[in-house]
Amino acid sequence: MNLEEQFKVIFYSFIYGMFFLSTIKGLRYFKIKKNIYKFIMQLIFMLLHVSLFYYLLYKINGGILSVYVAIFFAIGMFFCKVLYFNDKKS
């Protein structure tokens, strides 16, 4: 994998981490009372996210997973939490 692909993967992982956390926050608005339906919805939600993430990663670099993919995914989620979903009231 060349340097340009590595930068694309890092940027993509960071942005997708932010997108993932945003959609998880949006998932909270669905109020489902039965646990089996909630479990099925969450399972489908996660499978769609994993499929989309890996498909786009495959388009960028052939689907090569590295340690820094997970690290920048987590950093993207952290930045999204701190910048957009900070629950502190001013």
Side-chain angles (χ1 to χ4, degrees), residues 28-73:
R28 284 193 205 171
Y29 293 113
F30 294 105
K31 302 293 181 192
I32 299 174
K33 296 185 182 199
K34 294 196 176 200
N35 285 338
I36 188 71
Y37 295 137
K38 190 174 189 177
F39 173 76
I40 290 171
M41 187 176 81
Q42 289 176 350
L43 181 67
I44 292 170
F45 176 80
M46 290 300 179
L47 288 174
L48 286 173
H49 266 291
V50 167
S51 299
L52 179 64
F53 181 77
Y54 192 74
Y55 174 75
L56 294 174
L57 187 65
Y58 182 77
K59 288 292 188 179
I60 294 173
N61 71 347
I64 299 171
L65 292 173
S66 309
V67 173
Y68 59 83
V69 170
I71 291 170
F72 279 94
F73 184 83

Side-chain angles (χ1 to χ4, degrees), residues 5-17 60 72:
E5 285 179 346
Q6 289 178 0
F7 281 125
K8 286 180 183 178
V9 168
I10 288 171
F11 181 72
Y12 165 69
S13 298
F14 180 79
I15 296 299
Y16 200 88
I60 294 173
F72 279 94

